[in-house]
Amino acid sequence: MRKIFKVGDKIEIVRIDRRTWEEKDVQYISKIADIKDEYFYIFTPIKEGVYVTFYIDEILRLYKISSDGVWMFDGVIEERFKEPEYMIKVKQISDVRKIQRRMFFRLPINLDIFVKLLNFGQIPRENTPEQAANDFSEGKIVKALTKDISGGGVCFITQEEFEIGDLILTKIPIEQEELILKAQILRKERVQHPTYRFMYGCKFVEARQNEIDKIVRFIFAQQQKMRQKGLL
């Protein structure tokens, strides 16, 4: 395969949770300073005027957005440097792979949504909008607030406690309608919030293509508004 990641490339860095191997929510922008075999020397990102603190043995996921798609690989931090510049030495521990651009961008946005836990005997066998609406009409339904959303999943906070691996139904307002989407919880964290106690990272399961397209169109529309306001 041709060399994808090169010296001078602008990249995005995401921390990885070792327990679940899932991404944490914060993304950092940086640049590749040097490459030696499987080792990448990366300028330490700066956030709010301060160098971001990374740790030895921490797992990172590195993304590069190019004209032909989004590329990524996982790495582990082996060294940190302050001279001649602040940098981290990252050893590549996975193959470089390509992902769909639309699944990559996570739009930070607060949307009021509803969530329902699916017990094993309640898992929908059909995936029609009518069946989804019926499945959401019964059982305990809780309020939640999104932190971000992408074509592949959603992050939200709520008062209700779920467990990693749980299947849920989410009702999300998109394009003047409410999409009812099944999702699986991949990440769980306690949060300090006046109303909600937990934050969950979820991936959509068995979503229809037209449902994903609606989310992607919504994200693009919100991005355009943010650009017009100078926020992107």
Side-chain angles (χ1 to χ4, degrees), residues 16-184:
I16 298 297
D17 188 324
R18 278 184 174 272
R19 296 169 302 169
T20 63
W21 214 255
E22 293 300 322
E23 297 182 2
K24 299 183 180 180
D25 291 324
V26 181
Q27 297 176 339
Y28 305 102
I29 306 299
S30 187
K31 185 180 289 187
I32 298 174
D34 198 7
I35 302 173
K36 295 180 180 178
D37 299 321
E38 73 270 33
Y39 295 99
F40 288 73
Y41 295 81
I42 299 167
F43 292 113
T44 304
I46 297 175
K47 186 174 179 64
E48 298 178 352
V50 178
Y51 284 105
V52 176
T53 301
F54 291 103
Y55 302 95
I56 302 298
D57 292 331
E58 186 172 9
I59 304 296
L60 304 178
R61 184 161 292 158
L62 278 60
Y63 289 93
K64 174 184 174 179
I65 302 176
S66 63
S67 59
D68 61 347
V70 178
W71 301 84
M72 59 174 282
F73 71 86
D74 296 335
V76 59
I77 297 176
E78 293 207 341
E79 292 185 63
R80 299 180 299 180
F81 306 97
K82 292 184 178 180
E83 300 289 344
E85 296 188 61
Y86 278 77
M87 287 188 289
I88 53 176
K89 179 183 177 181
V90 177
K91 181 180 180 180
Q92 182 179 343
I93 59 173
S94 76
D95 293 334
V96 174
R97 53 196 185 276
K98 186 178 181 180
I99 63 172
Q100 296 183 52
R101 182 187 297 268
R102 68 183 182 197
M103 308 300 280
F104 172 73
F105 184 80
R106 290 180 290 183
L107 175 72
I109 191 169
N110 294 138
L111 299 172
D112 292 314
I113 67 172
F114 294 95
V115 179
K116 173 189 172 182
L117 175 66
L118 289 173
N119 295 324
F120 179 76
Q122 297 175 317
I123 296 175
R125 295 180 180 275
E126 301 178 48
N127 195 28
T128 65
E130 295 78 10
Q131 180 65 39
N134 290 336
D135 290 324
F136 219 98
S137 63
E138 300 178 352
K140 184 177 181 180
I141 299 170
V142 298
K143 293 182 179 180
L145 183 70
T146 65
K147 300 292 287 182
D148 62 61
I149 189 170
S150 73
V154 63
C155 176
F156 64 85
I157 54 177
T158 186
Q159 182 69 8
E160 190 75 8
E161 183 170 12
F162 301 114
E163 299 300 332
I164 293 174
D166 280 349
L167 287 175
I168 58 174
L169 280 184
T170 62
K171 183 183 287 188
I172 305 174
I174 298 289
E175 293 186 341
Q176 288 77 52
E177 67 174 294
E178 291 183 320
L179 295 183
I180 299 178
L181 300 167
K182 185 162 67 173
Q184 184 175 32

Side-chain angles (χ1 to χ4, degrees), residues 2-19:
R2 64 187 175 87
K3 193 173 182 180
I4 303 297
F5 288 81
K6 302 175 183 178
V7 173
D9 281 348
K10 179 181 176 181
I11 59 172
E12 297 192 21
I13 302 172
V14 181
R15 299 179 193 264
I16 298 297
D17 188 324
R18 278 184 174 272
R19 296 169 302 169

Side-chain angles (χ1 to χ4, degrees), residues 182-229:
K182 185 162 67 173
Q184 184 175 32
I185 294 176
L186 302 178
R187 187 178 68 258
K188 171 184 176 181
E189 296 180 28
R190 279 191 172 271
V191 295
Q192 296 294 326
H193 190 275
T195 306
Y196 302 123
R197 295 187 300 159
F198 299 98
M199 180 170 69
Y200 301 97
C202 308
K203 69 174 181 180
F204 294 131
V205 179
E206 299 175 0
R208 277 193 173 85
Q209 187 60 52
N210 69 319
E211 293 171 331
I212 295 174
D213 291 342
K214 288 177 182 178
I215 295 173
V216 172
R217 284 198 301 269
F218 172 77
I219 290 173
F220 285 165
Q222 295 300 314
Q223 283 182 282
Q224 188 173 17
K225 292 178 182 178
M226 293 170 70
R227 289 192 185 97
Q228 291 172 350
K229 295 179 180 179

